[in-house]
Amino acid sequence: MLSTAEIGIDLGTANILIYSKTKGIVLNEPSVVAIDVNTKQVVAVGTEAKQMVGKTPQNIIPIRPLKDGVIADYDVTAQMLKEFLKKVSKKIGMSMRKPIVVVCTPSGSTTVERRAIHNAVTSYGAKQVHLIEEPVAAAIGSDLPVDEPVANVVVDIGGGTSEVGIISFGGVVSCNSVRTGGDKMDEEIIHHIRKKYNILIGERTAENVKMEIGYAHPNHDEETMEIRGRDMVSGLPKTVIITSTEIHYALKESLDSILETIRATLENCPPELSGDIVDHGIVLTGGGALLRGMQEWLSNELIVPVHLAPNPLESVAIGTGRALKMINKLQKAAK
Ligand code: ADP
Ligand code: MG
């Protein structure tokens, strides 16, 4: 007899990951869909669609349906999800037919949005669908002892949003979300290059700059990078050399907004749990946690220990998959 497949889905604003209990991460692709505006058909999803960003003919537009942490277009989201499930079902084989699915949704999502996700997964043939909150999944996937009565603080810096959650005894004690994450940082880099050099660069160039020479901490050994864009005066391609120091200052506003969100959450923490935070500190996860110097900078600012999760880009997916056996308990705690 075939056993039922159990899978976890991290429906992130930048990346979608699917985790299978038996095979681990089976899909990790950007949450992007390319749509033909004339026929409304999905032309490409994931990696293939992301490669089209900024390069498509007019009738084909790449969409990030979850961009700001809210589901801008749930038809598109549902179509995208189905395409990914189709890809994965081949990998996992027949047992995928009636899987039990746990989906992690952005914590700001509304009831209507959650129902849309639920329906999309159910219509794909899932036997059961459970939705869990992002901070809980992030904490489980970061190996934190979420079901113990201690404060587990997790900060998940994603593409569209950053979420801060305090979890104790299997439930969320307090949490906050801010619409600032990696995307805002990319936008700030684009804005800075336009203002200082009169050069237009694309989102992908900006993301590369952030990953290569972005620093959270102002005190670092300065690095430089050559970038190319379009000169706004001549309209022609132009190359300039930029420094990590100027990029740090370009990112400052996003960084400060994430810091303030963490601070506000810690200040709301029940006093009995505050002591735990001083001892155990907080765990950083999400792609934005990989910005250089993030750990040291936050630790200096907050005066608590800050740790990096073992696999920041995968913690939520792993936690979602692992959450299955805790689901009943978590649901009870939430009541
Ligand atoms: P989401 O959960 O919202 O889908 P992720 O956790 O997958 O987001 O993180 C995606 C974000 O992390 C993107 O903005 C990406 O640019 C950023 N990111 C990934 N790697 C790095 C890195 N090495 N340095 C800085 N930012 C990074
Ligand atoms: Mg995420």
Side-chain angles (χ1 to χ4, degrees):
M1 202 186 88
L2 286 172
S3 61
T4 312
E6 294 179 359
I7 60 175
I9 304 176
D10 167 15
L11 204 52
T13 65
N15 297 297
I16 291 193
L17 283 83
I18 301 185
Y19 176 91
S20 132
K21 200 178 145 193
T22 47
K23 305 219 157 129
I25 307 269
V26 286
L27 182 127
N28 181 354
E29 298 206 26
S31 350
V32 185
V33 223
I35 306 257
D36 184 329
V37 283
N38 298 328
T39 63
K40 302 267 183 295
Q41 291 295 311
V42 172
V43 188
V45 291
T47 311
E48 203 188 329
K50 187 173 179 182
Q51 278 160 359
M52 296 179 172
V53 173
K55 297 181 179 172
T56 50
Q58 268 170 352
N59 62 316
I60 294 176
I61 43 167
I63 301 178
R64 284 183 54 194
L66 298 150
K67 194 169 185 216
D68 300 309
V70 287
I71 299 173
D73 184 333
Y74 28 89
D75 275 349
V76 175
T77 307
Q79 282 189 60
M80 178 174 77
L81 200 51
K82 282 189 193 172
E83 290 296 325
F84 286 130
L85 283 168
K86 209 194 282 174
K87 274 193 177 185
V88 164
S89 78
K90 284 189 202 130
K91 268 194 203 168
I92 304 185
M94 294 298 282
S95 56
M96 237 326 251
R97 269 190 306 188
K98 287 263 175 225
I100 298 176
V101 184
V102 185
V103 191
C104 170
T105 55
S107 65
S109 53
T110 63
T111 321
V112 177
E113 288 165 353
R114 289 169 149 257
R115 195 174 312 132
I117 296 171
H118 196 287
N119 291 348
V121 180
T122 312
S123 73
Y124 191 78
K127 187 158 100 186
Q128 281 173 35
V129 184
H130 303 277
L131 302 184
I132 64 164
E133 287 175 278
E134 163 120 62
V136 178
I140 298 173
S142 306
D143 296 331
L144 293 176
V146 291
D147 39 10
E148 286 171 25
V150 292
N152 294 286
V153 188
V154 54
V155 176
D156 179 0
I157 307 171
T161 59
S162 297
E163 321 243 346
V164 187
I166 303 179
I167 293 121
S168 173
F169 219 46
V172 177
V173 175
S174 123
C175 92
N176 271 302
S177 168
V178 62
R179 298 231 172 122
T180 307
D183 294 337
K184 196 53 112 3
M185 296 182 196
D186 300 346
E187 281 163 29
E188 285 181 328
I189 292 174
I190 294 175
H191 179 78
H192 167 79
I193 304 291
R194 191 173 56 209
K195 222 171 99 197
K196 181 162 175 201
Y197 301 100
N198 254 319
I199 289 178
L200 272 182
I201 59 166
E203 281 171 32
R204 300 194 52 198
T205 302
E207 189 181 29
N208 282 339
V209 168
K210 173 185 71 182
M211 290 182 179
E212 297 225 348
I213 60 165
Y215 278 88
H217 211 291
N219 308 321
H220 61 265
D221 292 333
E222 192 176 79
E223 289 172 37
T224 58
M225 183 177 171
E226 195 179 274
I227 54 159
R228 254 174 285 172
R230 190 179 79 213
D231 187 304
M232 289 171 69
V233 180
S234 69
L236 298 173
K238 189 170 175 185
T239 305
V240 279
I241 292 173
I242 56 173
T243 71
S244 54
T245 309
E246 65 182 300
I247 295 304
H248 164 76
Y249 287 104
L251 301 177
K252 193 87 186 82
E253 206 174 300
S254 299
L255 290 166
D256 284 344
S257 128
I258 295 168
L259 175 65
E260 281 323 306
T261 309
I262 306 175
R263 215 173 245 151
T265 317
L266 297 187
E267 279 166 11
N268 267 333
C269 179
E272 294 289 0
L273 293 176
S274 284
D276 292 344
I277 300 174
V278 176
D279 292 340
H280 303 291
I282 65 182
V283 169
L284 290 184
T285 188
L290 294 169
L291 186 78
R292 270 171 241 189
M294 190 64 113
Q295 206 182 330
E296 298 77 11
W297 174 66
L298 285 176
S299 165
N300 281 346
E301 293 290 331
L302 298 164
I303 327 180
V304 295
V306 176
H307 313 281
L308 192 62
N311 301 295
L313 284 160
E314 297 176 354
S315 332
V316 171
I318 295 170
T320 309
R322 278 189 204 154
L324 208 52
K325 55 175 186 281
M326 300 180 60
I327 278 283
N328 293 333
K329 200 165 157 190
L330 290 175
Q331 280 171 343
K332 269 183 216 142
K335 272 175 196 153

